[in-house]
Each structure stands twice: as structure tokens, then as C-alpha cells.
Amino acid sequence: MEERLPQLRAELDASFCVVNGENAADGVGITPKLAARILAAGADVITLGNHTWRRNEIGPYLSASEQVIRPANFSPLTPGRGLTVRPAADGTPVAVINVLGSLFMSPAISMFERIDQLVAEAQEQTATIVVDVHAEATSEKVALAHWLDGKVTAVLGTHTHVQTSDARVTRAGTAALTDAGMTGPHDSVIGVKAELAVHRMRTGMPVRFEVAEGGVRIEGAVIDCDDSGRARAIEPVRRSFP
Ligand SMILES: [Fe+2]
């Protein structure tokens, strides 16, 4: 990312960039140092997910940060925020909301209970709203995109690490993609050295996972929207690097 994101941002003419960074620290969680490096590489906002708390030092950092957010449907007793508004390159405020699905996750409350209030809060500040729905189940992500149709600019899924082929823009002007995919080594089992992941699955024995190295790609999506926050187009991004 540090090598390729600045060039890719310029090439795609991206005026705002959101990165899901919850696997940045050797596959699980993120540290303040890594967050700073991702922001320096060209991210405007970093979202997180189920691995948010894996690194102890992230709590105080999230309390102070306006650029790194965690799922909004975590307990209100945890540090950080799940909604932020930051300026795009042309000054347009962009709201980013991060929520966590329910299947195999443990959100304090359902994202569906929190999302209306979050969108209303965002709408008070801007019409351009991006939702990162970090979830295992495609059905939950598709359902959220339906619920938010016409209310937000984009609903983008993360967590499964496998980019889906359902990029679409609805008639009401919401772009959606069930999973944006993975930036990392694709010669792997979703980022982990394949032999280690396979060994654990075959035997059920504990195995210390290591991050793989080959087949590095940047994956994501580019959304084009108008001044009123309506999406006009969505294009999945999938770039391989030798
Ligand atoms: Fe995740």
C-alpha cells in the first residue's frame, strides 16, 4: 500500500479514500503506528471490524482519532467512534460509517438498531455518506444495502477478503458491493499461509498463523457520485503487483 496507493489514487482520480485496516497488524488488528502509515500512504479514513481490540494500544488512539473509526454498534463503553466526517480533496465533507454484522461476530447491538440514527447524524453534516459494513454473511450486507437504498452514497462490505461480483448502483443512487475484497497476498487462504490454514482445518489442531507473501493485490472499489451524494457508478478495483 505504501508503495502503490499514492500512484493508484492519482490514476483513479480518487478525491477520497477509505481503507479497512483491521488486518494490518500481521493479520489481526491494527497499531497506532500502522494506522499512521496507512493514513500517510493516502487513506483519509480507516475503518475496522471484529479484530479492533486485538492490540492493546489501539484503545487510547481510537479515543483521540477522527480518522480511524471502529464499528458503531460496539458497546458505547468502548473507546472510539463509528462515524466520522472528513473533507475530500475538493473540500466536500464525506461521512464514513462503520458497522459490524451479527453472524459469527459479537456486536453489542444489531447494526440495524444503530444505523438509522447514524445515517441521520451523518445527513446533518453531508449528503455524501459511505458505509463500511463489516460482516461475514452476504445476506446481512445485501439487506443493509436494501435498507439504506437512496439514503447513502455507498454501502461497501468488508471482512470476507473475497471480492464479490455484484457491484451495482440502484435507481435511487446508492452504490453497493457485498465485499470489496482483500489488499494483501492472494496466494494464501484469505491472507494466511495456505499450508498452515489447511493443516488447522484438516486436523483441528492449533496452528500459529503466519501472513502469506505471494500474489499481492490491491482490491477495492471506486465510486463516482454527484454533489447531492447520489452515486453514478461503481467500479471494482483489482490490481496485481509482481
Ligand atoms: Fe474482519
Side-chain angles (χ1 to χ4, degrees):
M1 273 189 64
E2 284 181 311
E3 280 174 27
R4 306 289 179 161
L5 187 61
Q7 185 190 327
L8 187 61
R9 251 196 91 148
E11 184 195 319
L12 298 171
D13 196 19
S15 58
F16 196 83
C17 175
V18 182
V19 169
N20 181 272
E22 76 139 7
N23 302 105
D26 287 331
V28 280
I30 191 167
T31 62
K33 263 188 198 165
L34 285 168
R37 283 172 63 182
I38 293 170
L39 294 171
D44 292 289
V45 171
I46 298 173
T47 54
L48 297 171
N50 51 305
H51 293 310
T52 297
W53 309 120
R54 290 295 277 264
R55 307 283 160 153
N56 286 334
E57 62 270 41
I58 202 64
Y61 181 84
L62 288 183
S63 295
S65 179
E66 289 185 11
Q67 285 180 281
V68 186
I69 62 174
R70 47 78 172 164
N73 50 331
F74 278 165
S75 164
L77 302 176
T78 57
R81 68 195 74 197
L83 159 66
T84 192
V85 181
R86 302 291 300 171
D90 66 353
T92 304
V94 179
V96 182
I97 294 169
N98 189 194
V99 287
L100 191 70
S102 291
L103 183 72
F104 303 157
M105 313 278 199
S106 350
I109 52 171
S110 155
M111 63 184 180
F112 286 99
E113 286 183 53
R114 282 288 278 124
I115 196 68
D116 293 353
Q117 192 202 332
L118 291 161
V119 170
E121 250 176 74
Q123 282 170 336
E124 281 172 21
Q125 301 174 72
T126 182
T128 307
I129 303 170
V130 178
V131 177
D132 171 2
V133 50
H134 195 83
E136 185 78 44
T138 51
S139 56
E140 286 187 77
K141 296 192 260 193
V142 172
L144 190 70
H146 269 280
W147 177 244
L148 296 179
D149 188 21
K151 299 174 192 159
V152 302
T153 309
V155 181
L156 303 173
T158 54
H159 176 74
T160 67
H161 299 204
V162 178
Q163 190 176 70
T164 54
S165 60
D166 62 340
R168 62 214 182 265
V169 177
T170 65
R171 215 174 283 173
T174 297
L177 177 62
T178 295
D179 206 286
M182 177 177 77
T183 290
H186 282 256
D187 184 4
S188 68
V189 174
I190 61 170
V192 172
K193 281 183 180 170
E195 65 273 23
L196 301 179
V198 169
H199 182 68
R200 182 152 99 179
M201 288 180 200
R202 287 187 72 226
T203 64
M205 289 168 71
V207 175
R208 180 183 287 270
F209 280 173
E210 290 171 36
V211 176
E213 282 165 12
V216 172
R217 274 190 227 147
I218 287 182
E219 291 189 341
V222 180
I223 289 119
D224 178 37
C225 71
D226 64 19
D227 290 341
S228 65
R230 281 175 67 98
R232 286 187 288 233
I234 178 168
E235 197 64 49
V237 173
R238 195 179 207 204
R239 296 289 167 88
S240 295
F241 299 107

